[in-house]
Amino acid sequence: MKCSEFLHELTNYLDGVIDEHTKVELENHLSWCHNCYVVCDTTKKTIEIYRDSQLYELPEDLRTRLRSAIMTKCQQHRKRGPESV
Amino acid sequence: METIQNKLEGPVTDELALVRAAKQGDDSAFEELVRRYDRNVFRIAQHITQNREDAEDVVQEAFLKAYGNLQKFQEQSKFYTWLVRIAVNEALMKLRRKKPERTVSLDEDIKTEDDSLPREIADWSPNPEQQYTQAELREILSKTIQGLPPGFRTVFVLRDVEGLSTEETAAALELSVPAVKSRLLRARLQLRERLGRYFQKRESGDGNQ
Protein backbone atom coordinates (compact mmCIF):
# COMPACT_ATOMS: atom_id res chain seq x y z
CA MET A 1 0.00 0.00 0.00
CA LYS A 2 1.27 3.46 -0.93
CA CYS A 3 0.95 6.54 1.26
CA SER A 4 -1.60 8.07 -1.13
CA GLU A 5 -3.73 4.93 -0.85
CA PHE A 6 -3.47 5.08 2.91
CA LEU A 7 -4.64 8.69 2.92
CA HIS A 8 -7.52 7.83 0.65
CA GLU A 9 -8.79 5.39 3.27
CA LEU A 10 -7.92 7.51 6.30
CA THR A 11 -11.40 8.88 6.91
CA ASN A 12 -13.00 5.45 6.66
CA TYR A 13 -10.32 4.07 8.95
CA LEU A 14 -10.83 6.75 11.61
CA ASP A 15 -14.59 6.28 11.39
CA GLY A 16 -14.24 2.52 11.75
CA VAL A 17 -16.06 1.80 8.51
CA ILE A 18 -13.64 -0.36 6.54
CA ASP A 19 -13.54 -4.06 5.87
CA GLU A 20 -11.18 -6.28 7.83
CA HIS A 21 -8.87 -6.91 4.87
CA THR A 22 -8.29 -3.19 4.19
CA LYS A 23 -7.86 -2.56 7.90
CA VAL A 24 -5.06 -5.13 8.11
CA GLU A 25 -3.35 -3.55 5.10
CA LEU A 26 -3.66 -0.06 6.60
CA GLU A 27 -2.30 -1.14 9.94
CA ASN A 28 0.54 -2.93 8.25
CA HIS A 29 1.37 0.30 6.42
CA LEU A 30 1.16 2.24 9.69
CA SER A 31 3.59 -0.13 11.37
CA TRP A 32 6.47 0.88 9.12
CA CYS A 33 5.53 4.30 7.66
CA HIS A 34 6.23 6.88 10.34
CA ASN A 35 4.83 9.80 8.32
CA CYS A 36 1.45 8.15 7.83
CA TYR A 37 1.43 7.11 11.47
CA VAL A 38 1.92 10.74 12.50
CA VAL A 39 -0.70 12.00 10.05
CA CYS A 40 -3.20 9.42 11.28
CA ASP A 41 -2.52 10.08 14.94
CA THR A 42 -2.60 13.88 14.70
CA THR A 43 -5.72 13.81 12.52
CA LYS A 44 -7.44 11.75 15.19
CA LYS A 45 -6.28 14.27 17.80
CA THR A 46 -7.59 17.12 15.63
CA ILE A 47 -11.06 15.57 15.62
CA GLU A 48 -10.98 14.91 19.35
CA ILE A 49 -9.80 18.40 20.21
CA TYR A 50 -12.62 20.00 18.19
CA ARG A 51 -15.21 17.58 19.49
CA ASP A 52 -14.26 18.21 23.10
CA SER A 53 -13.59 21.93 22.74
CA GLN A 54 -16.98 23.33 23.75
CA LEU A 55 -16.39 25.95 21.11
CA TYR A 56 -19.42 28.19 20.60
CA GLU A 57 -21.48 27.02 23.54
CA LEU A 58 -24.73 28.93 23.82
CA PRO A 59 -24.75 30.87 27.14
CA GLU A 60 -27.82 30.14 29.26
CA ASP A 61 -29.08 33.76 29.39
CA LEU A 62 -28.81 34.18 25.63
CA ARG A 63 -30.45 30.80 25.20
CA THR A 64 -33.47 31.85 27.24
CA ARG A 65 -33.70 35.14 25.36
CA LEU A 66 -33.55 33.44 21.96
CA ARG A 67 -36.10 30.82 22.88
CA SER A 68 -38.52 33.40 24.15
CA ALA A 69 -38.07 35.49 20.96
CA ILE A 70 -38.64 32.39 18.82
CA MET A 71 -41.82 31.40 20.64
CA THR A 72 -43.20 34.95 20.50
CA LYS A 73 -42.62 35.07 16.75
CA CYS A 74 -44.17 31.63 16.33
CA GLN A 75 -47.31 32.81 18.08
CA GLN A 76 -47.45 35.94 15.90
CA HIS A 77 -47.03 33.72 12.89
CA ARG A 78 -49.91 31.52 13.95
CA LYS A 79 -52.17 34.57 14.33
CA ARG A 80 -51.21 35.92 10.93
CA GLY A 81 -51.61 32.63 9.12
CA PRO A 82 -49.35 30.10 7.48
CA GLU A 83 -48.01 32.25 4.62
CA SER A 84 -46.14 34.74 6.77
CA VAL A 85 -42.81 32.98 7.39
CA MET B 1 -11.50 2.48 17.18
CA GLU B 2 -13.28 5.14 19.11
CA THR B 3 -16.48 6.15 17.42
CA ILE B 4 -17.71 9.69 17.30
CA GLN B 5 -20.21 10.41 20.02
CA ASN B 6 -23.50 11.98 19.16
CA LYS B 7 -24.04 15.19 21.07
CA LEU B 8 -27.81 15.04 20.86
CA GLU B 9 -29.79 14.33 23.96
CA GLY B 10 -32.92 12.29 24.48
CA PRO B 11 -34.40 9.39 22.59
CA VAL B 12 -35.25 10.04 18.97
CA THR B 13 -38.65 8.34 19.24
CA ASP B 14 -39.67 11.17 21.55
CA GLU B 15 -38.73 13.55 18.81
CA LEU B 16 -41.43 12.23 16.51
CA ALA B 17 -44.06 12.49 19.23
CA LEU B 18 -43.05 16.11 19.82
CA VAL B 19 -43.14 16.88 16.11
CA ARG B 20 -46.61 15.38 15.76
CA ALA B 21 -47.89 17.29 18.77
CA ALA B 22 -46.39 20.50 17.38
CA LYS B 23 -48.08 19.83 14.03
CA GLN B 24 -51.38 19.58 15.89
CA GLY B 25 -50.77 23.07 17.27
CA ASP B 26 -49.11 22.27 20.59
CA ASP B 27 -46.62 25.12 20.96
CA SER B 28 -45.14 23.70 24.15
CA ALA B 29 -44.10 20.63 22.12
CA PHE B 30 -42.39 22.90 19.61
CA GLU B 31 -40.73 24.80 22.43
CA GLU B 32 -39.38 21.49 23.70
CA LEU B 33 -37.87 20.88 20.24
CA VAL B 34 -36.26 24.32 20.42
CA ARG B 35 -34.89 23.50 23.86
CA ARG B 36 -33.55 20.22 22.59
CA TYR B 37 -31.72 21.50 19.54
CA ASP B 38 -30.99 25.20 20.03
CA ARG B 39 -27.44 24.61 21.25
CA ASN B 40 -26.64 22.38 18.28
CA VAL B 41 -28.09 24.85 15.79
CA PHE B 42 -26.18 27.71 17.39
CA ARG B 43 -22.89 25.81 17.26
CA ILE B 44 -23.40 24.84 13.62
CA ALA B 45 -24.42 28.38 12.69
CA GLN B 46 -21.45 29.97 14.39
CA HIS B 47 -19.06 27.51 12.81
CA ILE B 48 -20.40 28.43 9.39
CA THR B 49 -20.89 32.17 9.80
CA GLN B 50 -17.99 32.73 12.24
CA ASN B 51 -20.02 35.51 13.77
CA ARG B 52 -22.02 35.36 16.95
CA GLU B 53 -24.77 37.79 16.02
CA ASP B 54 -25.30 36.03 12.72
CA ALA B 55 -25.47 32.73 14.57
CA GLU B 56 -28.15 34.15 16.88
CA ASP B 57 -30.15 35.26 13.83
CA VAL B 58 -29.74 31.86 12.22
CA VAL B 59 -31.07 30.11 15.32
CA GLN B 60 -34.19 32.28 15.28
CA GLU B 61 -34.73 32.09 11.55
CA ALA B 62 -34.17 28.34 11.37
CA PHE B 63 -36.67 27.55 14.11
CA LEU B 64 -39.19 30.00 12.69
CA LYS B 65 -38.89 28.42 9.25
CA ALA B 66 -39.23 24.97 10.78
CA TYR B 67 -42.34 26.14 12.64
CA GLY B 68 -43.86 27.69 9.54
CA ASN B 69 -43.16 24.64 7.41
CA LEU B 70 -43.86 21.94 9.95
CA GLN B 71 -46.82 20.62 7.97
CA LYS B 72 -44.49 20.02 5.04
CA PHE B 73 -42.09 17.93 7.12
CA GLN B 74 -42.65 14.40 5.85
CA GLU B 75 -41.30 12.45 8.82
CA GLN B 76 -39.16 10.32 6.51
CA SER B 77 -36.01 11.80 7.95
CA LYS B 78 -35.29 12.88 11.49
CA PHE B 79 -36.65 16.28 12.44
CA TYR B 80 -33.15 17.23 13.56
CA THR B 81 -31.63 16.46 10.15
CA TRP B 82 -34.36 18.53 8.51
CA LEU B 83 -33.75 21.38 10.95
CA VAL B 84 -30.00 21.25 10.32
CA ARG B 85 -30.62 21.53 6.59
CA ILE B 86 -32.69 24.67 7.16
CA ALA B 87 -30.08 26.12 9.53
CA VAL B 88 -27.17 25.42 7.16
CA ASN B 89 -29.02 27.16 4.32
CA GLU B 90 -29.77 30.17 6.50
CA ALA B 91 -26.15 30.35 7.65
CA LEU B 92 -24.80 30.10 4.09
CA MET B 93 -27.19 32.84 3.03
CA LYS B 94 -25.78 35.09 5.75
CA LEU B 95 -22.27 34.41 4.49
CA ARG B 96 -23.25 35.13 0.90
CA ARG B 97 -24.73 38.47 1.91
CA LYS B 98 -21.56 39.38 3.76
CA LYS B 99 -19.07 38.14 1.21
CA PRO B 100 -20.69 38.65 -2.16
CA GLU B 101 -17.29 38.78 -3.81
CA ARG B 102 -16.70 35.16 -2.91
CA THR B 103 -18.95 32.40 -4.05
CA VAL B 104 -20.16 30.62 -0.97
CA SER B 105 -21.36 27.20 -1.86
CA LEU B 106 -21.21 23.64 -0.71
CA ASP B 107 -20.19 22.63 -4.21
CA GLU B 108 -16.73 24.06 -4.21
CA ASP B 109 -14.20 22.64 -6.59
CA ILE B 110 -12.82 19.35 -5.56
CA LYS B 111 -9.14 19.58 -6.16
CA THR B 112 -7.00 16.71 -7.28
CA GLU B 113 -6.23 13.85 -4.95
CA ASP B 114 -2.61 14.91 -4.57
CA ASP B 115 -3.80 18.15 -3.13
CA SER B 116 -4.64 16.49 0.14
CA LEU B 117 -1.20 15.01 0.63
CA PRO B 118 0.09 16.57 3.81
CA ARG B 119 3.07 18.85 3.44
CA GLU B 120 3.80 19.10 7.14
CA ILE B 121 4.47 15.84 8.90
CA ALA B 122 6.07 16.84 12.20
CA ASP B 123 4.65 15.10 15.24
CA TRP B 124 2.73 16.90 17.96
CA SER B 125 3.54 17.15 21.62
CA PRO B 126 1.64 14.75 23.84
CA ASN B 127 -1.59 16.44 25.04
CA PRO B 128 -0.82 19.53 22.95
CA GLU B 129 -4.00 21.32 23.97
CA GLN B 130 -2.70 21.51 27.53
CA GLN B 131 0.00 23.96 26.48
CA TYR B 132 -2.70 26.61 26.24
CA THR B 133 -5.38 28.05 28.48
CA GLN B 134 -8.98 27.25 27.61
CA ALA B 135 -9.43 30.75 26.18
CA GLU B 136 -6.26 30.52 24.09
CA LEU B 137 -7.25 27.10 22.83
CA ARG B 138 -10.70 28.28 21.79
CA GLU B 139 -9.11 31.19 19.96
CA ILE B 140 -6.73 28.84 18.13
CA LEU B 141 -9.50 26.40 17.19
CA SER B 142 -11.79 29.17 16.07
CA LYS B 143 -9.13 30.90 13.97
CA THR B 144 -8.04 27.61 12.45
CA ILE B 145 -11.45 26.43 11.34
CA GLN B 146 -12.23 29.90 10.00
CA GLY B 147 -9.50 29.37 7.43
CA LEU B 148 -11.32 26.47 5.80
CA PRO B 149 -13.72 27.01 2.90
CA PRO B 150 -17.34 27.08 4.20
CA GLY B 151 -18.20 23.83 2.42
CA PHE B 152 -15.41 22.01 4.21
CA ARG B 153 -16.02 23.41 7.66
CA THR B 154 -19.74 22.70 7.37
CA VAL B 155 -19.11 19.03 6.68
CA PHE B 156 -16.53 18.88 9.46
CA VAL B 157 -18.80 20.46 12.05
CA LEU B 158 -21.77 18.25 11.22
CA ARG B 159 -19.77 15.03 11.11
CA ASP B 160 -17.07 15.50 13.69
CA VAL B 161 -18.40 18.09 16.10
CA GLU B 162 -22.12 17.32 16.08
CA GLY B 163 -21.70 13.62 15.43
CA LEU B 164 -24.13 13.24 12.53
CA SER B 165 -23.51 10.11 10.47
CA THR B 166 -22.10 10.43 6.96
CA GLU B 167 -25.56 9.63 5.57
CA GLU B 168 -27.29 12.20 7.80
CA THR B 169 -24.71 14.82 6.84
CA ALA B 170 -25.26 14.01 3.16
CA ALA B 171 -29.02 14.32 3.63
CA ALA B 172 -28.76 17.58 5.58
CA LEU B 173 -26.45 19.16 2.98
CA GLU B 174 -28.06 17.54 -0.06
CA LEU B 175 -24.70 16.10 -1.07
CA SER B 176 -23.80 12.58 -2.08
CA VAL B 177 -22.12 10.29 0.45
CA PRO B 178 -18.83 10.24 -1.56
CA ALA B 179 -18.89 14.06 -1.70
CA VAL B 180 -19.29 14.23 2.08
CA LYS B 181 -16.44 11.77 2.60
CA SER B 182 -14.17 13.62 0.23
CA ARG B 183 -14.82 16.98 1.88
CA LEU B 184 -14.47 15.49 5.32
CA LEU B 185 -11.06 14.03 4.51
CA ARG B 186 -9.83 17.35 3.17
CA ALA B 187 -11.28 19.29 6.07
CA ARG B 188 -9.68 16.98 8.61
CA LEU B 189 -6.29 17.07 6.89
CA GLN B 190 -6.31 20.82 6.45
CA LEU B 191 -7.26 21.40 10.08
CA ARG B 192 -4.58 18.95 11.18
CA GLU B 193 -1.97 20.77 9.18
CA ARG B 194 -3.01 24.20 10.43
CA LEU B 195 -3.22 23.10 14.05
CA GLY B 196 0.28 21.68 13.71
CA ARG B 197 1.61 25.23 13.84
CA TYR B 198 0.48 25.42 17.45
CA PHE B 199 0.78 21.84 18.56
CA GLN B 200 4.03 20.60 17.04
CA LYS B 201 6.77 19.26 19.22
CA ARG B 202 9.19 22.07 19.77
CA GLU B 203 12.93 21.86 19.84
CA SER B 204 14.35 22.82 23.23
CA GLY B 205 14.78 26.55 23.69
CA ASP B 206 12.29 27.48 20.98
CA GLY B 207 9.43 28.89 22.94
CA ASN B 208 7.91 31.01 20.23
CA GLN B 209 6.28 29.76 17.10
Side-chain angles (χ1 to χ4, degrees):
Chain A
M1 175 174 284
K2 289 190 289 189
C3 296
S4 58
E5 292 169 317
F6 174 83
L7 266 186
H8 191 69
E9 292 293 337
L10 179 61
T11 270
N12 287 337
Y13 178 65
L14 289 175
D15 295 343
V17 291
I18 48 166
D19 61 81
E20 202 49 37
H21 174 74
T22 315
K23 189 176 173 197
V24 169
E25 277 190 39
L26 288 171
E27 287 178 351
N28 180 40
H29 181 85
L30 279 183
S31 69
W32 60 264
C33 180
H34 180 68
N35 279 350
C36 283
Y37 176 81
V38 169
V39 168
C40 181
D41 186 50
T42 51
T43 303
K44 190 163 170 248
K45 278 186 192 156
T46 298
I47 297 166
E48 287 166 356
I49 287 172
Y50 270 99
R51 197 186 53 203
D52 301 338
S53 68
Q54 299 185 314
L55 201 59
Y56 311 142
E57 290 298 322
L58 184 54
E60 220 31 58
D61 55 338
L62 173 58
R63 198 179 166 214
T64 310
R65 200 148 45 78
L66 281 176
R67 190 170 62 241
S68 139
I70 290 165
M71 294 317 295
T72 306
K73 284 182 187 163
C74 285
Q75 277 148 19
Q76 287 166 355
H77 165 71
R78 182 194 291 285
K79 284 183 196 146
R80 281 197 308 263
E83 298 308 316
S84 58
V85 168
Chain B
M1 178 57 54
E2 195 183 331
T3 51
I4 289 165
Q5 296 294 312
N6 200 317
K7 282 198 175 185
L8 297 180
E9 293 155 14
V12 173
T13 45
D14 255 359
E15 181 189 274
L16 194 54
L18 287 171
V19 170
R20 287 182 178 160
K23 276 186 175 180
Q24 300 293 317
D26 179 353
D27 279 352
S28 67
F30 188 77
E31 188 165 3
E32 185 52 38
L33 288 167
V34 175
R35 211 185 291 270
R36 190 176 284 203
Y37 298 127
D38 55 357
R39 284 175 287 211
N40 304 79
V41 172
F42 180 75
R43 216 164 20 228
I44 292 166
Q46 196 165 346
H47 267 108
I48 298 174
T49 62
Q50 296 293 327
N51 177 290
R52 179 161 150 168
E53 280 163 24
D54 286 346
E56 290 176 26
D57 288 349
V58 169
V59 171
Q60 295 200 48
E61 285 155 17
F63 279 109
L64 270 178
K65 275 224 161 120
Y67 184 86
N69 291 288
L70 210 50
Q71 301 303 333
K72 294 181 198 152
F73 172 60
Q74 295 294 315
E75 300 180 14
Q76 281 153 354
S77 63
K78 281 199 259 175
F79 172 78
Y80 179 59
T81 314
W82 182 68
L83 177 68
V84 166
R85 187 191 299 178
I86 297 172
V88 167
N89 284 334
E90 292 291 323
L92 288 174
M93 251 189 305
K94 287 254 176 230
L95 265 190
R96 281 189 201 108
R97 267 182 231 134
K98 281 205 157 170
K99 297 183 176 174
E101 76 278 7
R102 274 196 59 196
T103 313
V104 176
S105 147
L106 288 174
D107 304 315
E108 279 157 62
D109 287 344
I110 301 269
K111 293 180 183 160
T112 58
E113 289 297 316
D114 288 345
D115 208 54
S116 57
L117 284 173
R119 289 178 292 266
E120 196 68 56
I121 314 202
D123 203 357
W124 292 3
S125 330
N127 305 316
E129 66 276 24
Q130 287 170 14
Q131 298 166 23
Y132 299 94
T133 65
Q134 277 295 316
E136 284 170 339
L137 183 65
R138 276 201 287 268
E139 173 72 23
I140 289 169
L141 295 178
S142 175
K143 222 162 59 182
T144 302
I145 200 164
Q146 210 164 347
L148 288 193
F152 285 14
R153 61 177 191 253
T154 303
V155 169
F156 180 81
V157 67
L158 296 191
R159 259 313 265 106
D160 284 344
V161 180
E162 296 303 321
L164 268 70
S165 71
T166 305
E167 288 73 20
E168 287 168 338
T169 304
L173 303 181
E174 295 174 303
L175 289 170
S176 69
V177 165
V180 168
K181 285 191 175 184
S182 159
R183 283 163 176 75
L184 183 63
L185 175 66
R186 282 165 182 75
R188 285 171 167 179
L189 289 175
Q190 284 188 26
L191 287 176
R192 185 207 74 86
E193 187 153 323
R194 288 159 195 246
L195 282 187
R197 292 175 208 154
Y198 304 96
F199 294 160
Q200 267 167 29
K201 266 185 190 159
R202 289 168 185 174
E203 300 304 324
S204 54
D206 178 14
N208 251 333
Q209 198 179 350

